[in-house]
Amino acid sequence: MLTVNHLAKSYDGEKKSLTDVSFSVHPGEVTVIIGPSGAGKTTILRSINQLIRDDDGEILFDDTDMRQLNRSQLRRARCRIGMIFQNYNLIEPLTAIENVLHGCLGTKSNLAGIFSLYSNREKETALKLLEKVGLKDFAYQQCRNLSGGQKQRVGIARALMQHPKIILCDEPIASLDPKSTITVMDILRDLAINDGISVLINLHQVDIAREYADHVIGINNGQVVFDDRTQALSDAAITGIYQKGAVPERSLVHEF
Ligand SMILES: Nc1ncnc2c1ncn2[C@@H]1O[C@H](COP(=O)(O)OP(=O)(O)OP(=O)(O)O)[C@@H](O)[C@H]1O
Ligand SMILES: [Mg+2]
């Protein structure tokens, strides 16, 4: 459902942040991208929904190349791609339910979005989503009064408001304590298993990747150096992914 082919990106026209990155993400699976700081993980994630423009390659989302879409097509495609951020990206003075309702913005005309004209049905959906992430009782709390773990769950509910086919998560647990980490990761895994959503997560925590991922992609220096089922992520493979100057050790073409 998502296939990235030969993606390349340079921010300054000289140093390559991504060189020839290819991988696929499958429906109903948790795919985790790991790799050292500066390897290119965020660049990959933000290229998928074209928050940054890459230089070369193909990003096939449901067989459509995201790179070839015009503005309105891109807006529609982005509605099916949820995004979760390390710093939550919530509007802090607004309530949890208002933030979740903002997940609809991409599907509304600008006018409706600006004036927050949400239907009762949308409000019911937003409440149900907050219930799904265990926050029904916090629906009318201002987000600035929520804990980090609660904020991240609001972020997930907001992403779900778009009925996404895929959710992209850039270090969603980096600011969370161990208990909230488990709560958030459990929710993300449930979305893959029970709702068939593809979940693609950038992580620094290898132990969490091992526990939650179906599929692991290792990135080093803008290149894919590991692409396999999680069972294949041996200690030696992890060392390889994180070592300086890592290169792909073998063919990265897998039949999943
Ligand atoms: N806006 C930018 N302008 C210039 N260079 C950038 C920009 N964003 C990222 N880079 C460079 O691109 C490379 C990849 O960065 P990226 O943020 O994708 O790495 P990352 O794997 O997400 O790292 P981290 O684990 O620290 O978040 C790095 O060398 C970084 O310095
Ligand atoms: Mg990053």
Side-chain angles (χ1 to χ4, degrees), residues 69-85:
L69 302 181
N70 64 31
R71 268 177 70 168
S72 64
Q73 289 168 326
L74 185 58
R75 208 171 73 142
R76 276 199 299 278
R78 278 182 182 152
C79 288
R80 310 306 307 279
I81 303 177
M83 191 102 191
I84 310 272
F85 305 88

Side-chain angles (χ1 to χ4, degrees), residues 37-38 40-43 86 170-171 202 204:
S37 187
K41 303 180 297 296
T42 296
T43 304
Q86 176 182 344
D170 198 1
E171 299 193 35
N202 282 349
H204 274 294

Side-chain angles (χ1 to χ4, degrees), residues 233-247:
L233 189 67
S234 61
D235 291 347
I238 290 168
T239 307
I241 292 167
Y242 283 89
Q243 80 190 359
K244 208 167 177 226
V247 287

Side-chain angles (χ1 to χ4, degrees), residues 71-240:
R71 268 177 70 168
S72 64
Q73 289 168 326
L74 185 58
R75 208 171 73 142
R76 276 199 299 278
R78 278 182 182 152
C79 288
R80 310 306 307 279
I81 303 177
M83 191 102 191
I84 310 272
F85 305 88
Q86 176 182 344
N87 62 358
Y88 325 116
N89 272 20
L90 300 176
I91 304 169
E92 296 269 330
L94 296 188
T95 60
I97 191 166
E98 285 171 321
N99 270 279
V100 174
L101 284 163
H102 270 73
C104 298
L105 277 182
T107 59
K108 282 181 175 290
S109 75
N110 285 338
L111 197 66
I114 287 168
F115 291 103
S116 300
L117 299 174
Y118 298 109
S119 67
N120 282 337
R121 200 186 164 141
E122 285 167 333
K123 288 174 189 164
E124 276 165 29
T125 305
L127 260 184
K128 280 208 182 97
L129 291 173
L130 282 168
E131 189 174 4
K132 189 180 175 95
V133 298
L135 288 179
K136 195 179 176 203
D137 294 343
F138 294 84
Y140 297 96
Q141 292 256 351
Q142 282 184 319
C143 281
R144 65 170 152 228
N145 296 330
L146 300 180
S147 72
Q150 289 167 336
K151 286 180 187 179
Q152 195 54 293
R153 285 188 273 158
V154 174
I156 294 172
R158 179 185 54 190
L160 292 175
M161 197 71 197
Q162 300 171 224
H163 306 293
K165 293 191 82 168
I166 184 167
I167 299 185
L168 310 175
C169 315
D170 198 1
E171 299 193 35
I173 54 169
S175 310
L176 303 185
D177 65 20
K179 189 160 176 267
S180 299
T181 290
I182 290 170
T183 307
V184 165
M185 289 304 299
D186 283 351
I187 291 171
L188 292 173
R189 178 165 58 189
D190 283 353
L191 294 175
I193 294 173
N194 299 326
D195 299 340
I197 296 173
S198 302
V199 181
L200 179 60
I201 314 177
N202 282 349
L203 278 187
H204 274 294
Q205 298 83 343
V206 171
D207 53 332
I208 300 285
R210 275 188 158 144
E211 190 171 339
Y212 286 90
D214 299 295
H215 171 192
V216 175
I217 296 163
I219 303 286
N220 187 308
N221 196 23
Q223 275 189 298
V224 177
V225 294
F226 181 91
D227 181 355
D228 212 332
R229 310 303 295 173
T230 307
Q231 300 86 287
L233 189 67
S234 61
D235 291 347
I238 290 168
T239 307

